Amino acid sequence: MDKREIVIIGAGPSGLKAAEILANNKKDVLVLERRPIIGDKVCAGGLTRNALKFNIPDSILQRKFNKMRVSYKNKKSYIKTDSTFIATVDRKDLGKWMASNAKKQGAEIKTNVNVNNIRNNFIRTDKGKIYFKYLIGADGSNSILRKHLGLKTTKILEAFHYVLNKQVKDIQIYFDVERFGPAYAWVFPYKNSVSIGTGADSRYRLKANDVKKNLDEWCTEMGYDIKKASLKACPINYDYRGHEFGNKFLTGDAAGFSSGLTGEGIYFAMLSGIDVANKILDKKYDCKNIKHILKVKRFEERILRTLEISKSITKIEYNLLVNMIKFSWFDKKLTGMID
Ligand SMILES: Cc1cc2nc3c(=O)[nH]c(=O)nc-3n(C[C@H](O)[C@H](O)[C@H](O)COP(=O)(O)OP(=O)(O)OC[C@H]3O[C@@H](n4cnc5c(N)ncnc54)[C@H](O)[C@@H]3O)c2cc1C
């Protein structure tokens, strides 16, 4: 009979961070990942400077930027900082690095194992049954543990992107209310390629299919040749409804920790992985990272509500944002808010 102290479903950033901490504290940890390659996930791989505080080595970063172009229609401004403000990473490289950190501490990671059923103290996988004392669902936006717990998910961003083999100089975000609603389109350059994408929450104004068509149209206008590229999509769950359920925990996208405003999720996944691991180690642990994420999410909800009031108000807000970035005091305030 396979019996483990802690089983983690999913080897994304949240599961691997939790595994590293638990194993470092001499816990018996097993991570199960259904994919053959860790990190092979649809994602633009943008890391804000908060995420970079996790000592992610420069050697795995694709590009580092200390300025970002922000455009509204044909107006553009640059957010500028003295040090790296945002970087890009190939998620497979990030996965490899995080998996090696977890393994170094003694965690066991098994790939090609799909968890397909959850009971109170055991799971069934396509390779057999495993008993656990604690179970962590770090299994992303379509989490099987979240479904088992009966949690609803209504706040979902359908995010999609093209990866083109093209070198692009600047990292960029574009606002265009007619095309992308309250969301933005991004251009995230890597060394020899670039991710171009956007996201849509179909509950508001524009449906995901319309946004996809608008992205294609916009790419063509901007001179990005998407004819040979395939559009890759994945949901981002930002509907937080709890993370601790007796001996079962949710982290990252499974818990809905991602940002509904920007789609950023890697940093929040790591932060929540840290807290859930510490909570298992010490029942009295104060989940300060999770409290911080929830505070950010409450603030973002307020912004989202103002963006959703009407198209004309959103246009005014984005127009104002791009104009205000030209003032260095506002630029500093904006980048400070990210910290
Ligand atoms: C198009 C797109 C662009 C994005 N761009 C960015 C960005 O630039 N920056 C950013 O910070 N965030 C971005 N995100 C969000 C980011 O990808 C997620 O927030 C982040 O990956 C969440 O990490 P996680 O560990 O919670 O889950 P995931 O990274 O989704 O990892 C979950 C893992 O669980 C595995 N799994 C799932 N079910 C099972 C099962 N039943 N059995 C075994 N294994 C299972 C999956 O294979 C996966 O490896 C983007 C998302 C999308 C869709």
Side-chain angles (χ1 to χ4, degrees):
M1 185 169 67
D2 199 354
K3 205 171 169 187
R4 310 301 289 253
E5 188 173 7
I6 301 147
V7 174
I8 301 178
I9 315 173
S14 68
L16 292 172
K17 197 73 207 165
E20 181 191 337
I21 289 169
L22 289 162
N24 182 37
N25 283 276
K26 308 283 172 267
K27 293 287 173 190
D28 163 39
V29 190
L30 172 66
V31 184
L32 301 173
E33 170 53 52
R34 69 172 169 203
R35 293 195 172 101
I37 298 169
I38 292 173
D40 194 5
K41 149 98 180 65
V42 178
C43 182
L47 298 171
T48 54
R49 64 175 170 205
N50 270 324
L52 294 170
K53 285 179 194 154
F54 284 105
N55 294 327
I56 299 169
D58 265 14
S59 57
I60 67 160
L61 296 180
Q62 287 279 324
R63 297 273 304 275
K64 298 201 296 181
F65 304 89
N66 57 8
K67 63 173 189 177
M68 176 160 82
R69 195 159 99 188
V70 182
S71 308
Y72 173 74
K73 300 255 177 176
N74 52 0
K75 284 187 187 149
K76 63 179 181 212
S77 296
Y78 286 88
I79 296 178
K80 292 184 226 82
T81 50
D82 298 335
S83 54
T84 302
F85 162 70
I86 193 163
T88 52
V89 69
D90 180 328
R91 282 290 301 265
K92 291 199 230 36
D93 294 334
L94 181 69
K96 200 171 165 188
W97 174 70
M98 291 193 74
S100 106
N101 290 345
K103 281 185 194 160
K104 264 185 225 152
Q105 301 302 332
E108 187 182 352
I109 303 173
K110 287 186 180 172
T111 50
N112 283 314
V113 182
N114 185 37
V115 176
N116 45 43
N117 202 308
I118 297 173
R119 290 284 186 266
N120 193 36
N121 62 345
F122 70 86
I123 50 168
R124 279 184 212 283
T125 77
D126 48 0
K127 307 271 164 36
K129 192 169 167 180
I130 306 169
Y131 284 83
F132 59 80
K133 189 170 168 199
Y134 295 104
L135 181 67
I136 301 179
D139 46 344
S141 293
N142 290 318
S143 166
I144 185 174
L145 179 56
R146 188 178 173 101
K147 283 178 196 137
H148 165 84
L149 293 166
L151 302 182
K152 276 193 189 159
T153 309
T154 51
K155 295 176 187 170
I156 286 271
L157 267 181
E158 233 355 279
F160 27 84
H161 74 157
Y162 290 104
V163 178
L164 308 179
N165 291 326
K166 178 181 173 76
Q167 284 183 333
V168 173
K169 188 170 160 258
D170 287 336
I171 191 159
Q172 303 157 46
I173 59 170
Y174 284 82
F175 296 109
D176 183 337
V177 180
E178 306 291 345
R179 280 176 166 152
F180 307 121
Y184 57 83
W186 70 77
V187 176
F188 280 12
Y190 310 125
K191 277 179 191 149
N192 297 308
S193 54
V194 59
S195 156
I196 302 173
T198 186
D201 181 334
S202 289
R203 292 176 307 149
Y204 305 116
R205 298 206 292 260
L206 289 169
K207 300 282 169 229
N209 274 344
D210 296 326
V211 177
K212 277 179 196 162
K213 275 189 222 135
N214 293 345
L215 179 69
D216 285 5
E217 195 182 81
W218 179 75
C219 283
T220 312
E221 263 174 37
M222 302 299 288
Y224 296 118
D225 183 8
I226 53 165
K227 280 196 268 332
K228 286 187 201 131
S230 58
L231 190 71
K232 296 215 166 121
C234 189
I236 302 177
N237 168 28
Y238 67 101
D239 200 346
Y240 174 78
R241 292 175 192 244
H243 63 276
E244 188 180 353
F245 306 87
N247 66 341
K248 300 183 184 74
F249 296 82
L250 293 173
T251 57
D253 278 12
F257 282 126
S258 273
S259 161
L261 186 66
T262 64
E264 180 182 8
I266 300 171
Y267 171 58
F268 301 124
M270 293 198 221
L271 276 189
S272 58
I274 293 174
D275 271 13
V276 161
N278 280 303
K279 192 75 189 172
I280 290 175
L281 292 168
D282 172 9
K283 281 195 169 53
K284 291 199 191 100
Y285 177 79
D286 172 35
C287 292
K288 50 186 184 308
N289 291 316
I290 289 180
K291 281 183 186 160
H292 167 71
I293 303 172
L294 296 179
K295 196 173 155 199
V296 173
K297 282 173 80 68
R298 280 194 295 274
F299 175 67
E300 290 187 347
E301 283 283 335
R302 286 203 289 276
I303 298 182
L304 274 171
R305 275 201 292 272
T306 71
L307 293 175
E308 283 147 12
I309 297 169
S310 84
K311 226 190 242 182
S312 348
I313 293 180
T314 316
K315 281 182 191 170
I316 296 167
E317 284 169 323
Y318 285 151
N319 204 351
L320 203 64
L321 176 76
V322 175
N323 282 319
M324 298 274 280
I325 290 170
K326 291 183 179 138
F327 299 105
S328 64
W329 60 267
F330 183 76
D331 186 3
K332 281 203 179 77
K333 207 165 177 55
L334 199 69
T335 51
M337 274 164 64
I338 295 167
D339 294 327

